[in-house]
Amino acid sequence: MTATATTITAPVTKSGRVRPLDGLRQTFTMAWRSLVAVKHNPLELVDYSITPIMFVFLFTYVLGGQMAGSPEAYLKYALPGIIVQNTLFMTMYTAMALNTDLTKGVFDRLRSLPIARSAPLIGRITADLAKHVWAMLLMIGLGLLLGFRITGGLNGLVLGMLLVVVFAAAVSWSAVLIGMLAGDAEKVQAFAFTIIFPITFTSSAFVMVDTMPGWLQAWSDVNPVTHLSDAFRGLLLGGPVAEPVLWSLVWAAGIAVVFYPVAMRAYRAKT
């Protein structure tokens, strides 16, 4: 603990508050702490590397022939949706990690240090967003090997990934709330799957909306995962993107506005 304190402590003001620049530095220090922890927990690589690869292979080669006539044709449609789904599922790792740290008393130890109170939380979210980028690059790289082509160019790829990261950052605040309120990591996982699983599979991530029953189309048309999948697909392939990008950003802003204050209140109450 002595080494950690030496690394992340900083002067505080007379009011006891950490100066903004010091708080920012501490946040990035905590983010780096979360990233380097992967080498001490190799199983985490399964979640961020092997699982995304497995998703691409399973959806492409198990469903591809049935859904689009060939794996290659289905991959062109489904890869953006697979990436979106994987990213949303990965936001729940934030909830599980926070819940585990809370249960094991990690926040109690950090609270004794003169650091910004929000640094451990925002540091964790920042680190997890970096892991999202790694998983997206891994899945896109595999997709290219399997025949997917980014016809929207480098700008489309960068903007698409940035949009997904922004959306994931917003959803992360709902994950924070779940992590703070759930009794243990198993409850976090069960709750997350109950929400994310139906939302992703009732969107345009894997199938075209017009193939669904009318009542389900009505939901899918307003489903935020539909907007995000369509926007990401359009940016990667060079299709129309203005409306889905706009709605994705509106949804991201709405989710953040709703969950950020509630999540921070729960975080302060717990820590």
Side-chain angles (χ1 to χ4, degrees):
M1 196 65 206
T2 303
T4 303
T6 302
T7 302
I8 63 177
T9 54
V12 296
T13 63
K14 291 182 179 180
S15 65
R17 293 181 178 274
V18 175
R19 288 190 283 264
L21 286 179
D22 290 326
L24 183 63
R25 178 176 59 82
Q26 293 158 9
T27 296
F28 282 110
T29 299
M30 296 304 297
W32 180 249
R33 166 187 173 270
S34 296
L35 289 174
V36 298
V38 173
K39 69 180 181 180
H40 302 297
N41 182 21
L43 288 178
E44 194 170 351
L45 292 175
V46 174
D47 293 329
Y48 291 101
S49 300
I50 298 178
T51 300
I53 291 174
M54 181 181 66
F55 272 139
V56 174
F57 272 115
L58 287 177
F59 276 94
T60 301
Y61 290 105
V62 175
L63 300 178
Q66 174 68 34
M67 301 297 292
S70 70
E72 293 77 14
Y74 186 60
L75 180 66
K76 182 176 180 180
Y77 178 86
L79 182 62
I82 297 171
I83 294 173
V84 167
Q85 182 210 41
N86 184 72
T87 302
L88 292 178
F89 272 119
M90 285 173 58
T91 60
M92 291 303 113
Y93 297 158
T94 302
M96 288 187 284
L98 289 173
N99 183 272
T100 300
D101 285 349
L102 192 66
T103 303
K104 293 184 176 180
V106 173
F107 285 110
D108 291 334
R109 296 194 293 272
L110 293 173
R111 186 171 52 188
S112 66
L113 300 175
I115 63 174
R117 194 171 181 182
S118 62
L121 173 61
I122 300 179
R124 162 63 66 177
I125 294 173
T126 302
D128 288 346
L129 291 177
K131 295 172 186 177
H132 293 334
V133 173
W134 160 254
M136 280 192 281
L137 289 173
L138 192 64
M139 298 174 81
I140 289 171
L142 178 59
L144 292 174
L145 290 176
L146 298 179
F148 185 84
R149 293 295 177 262
I150 302 174
T151 53
L154 180 60
N155 288 341
L157 172 62
V158 173
L159 291 175
M161 291 182 62
L162 180 60
L163 179 64
V164 176
V165 169
V166 167
F167 197 91
V171 174
S172 293
W173 291 109
S174 67
V176 169
L177 181 61
I178 294 172
M180 292 294 110
L181 297 181
D184 51 54
E186 288 74 17
K187 289 185 176 66
V188 171
Q189 189 174 26
F191 192 74
F193 272 83
T194 301
I195 295 175
I196 295 178
F197 194 83
I199 289 178
T200 54
F201 278 92
T202 57
S203 70
S204 66
F206 308 115
V207 299
M208 295 182 181
V209 174
D210 57 13
T211 64
M212 300 178 183
W215 60 270
L216 191 54
Q217 288 184 35
W219 155 247
S220 184
D221 285 337
V222 298
N223 187 335
V225 180
T226 292
H227 297 304
L228 184 60
S229 298
D230 289 347
F232 193 29
R233 187 178 294 116
L235 287 166
L236 290 180
L237 301 179
V241 295
E243 185 175 351
V245 167
L246 176 60
W247 276 112
S248 297
L249 293 174
V250 168
W251 269 106
I255 292 170
V257 166
V258 170
F259 285 101
Y260 173 77
V262 182
M264 287 303 295
R265 191 176 300 116
Y267 173 72
R268 294 189 183 100
K270 288 284 188 178
T271 61

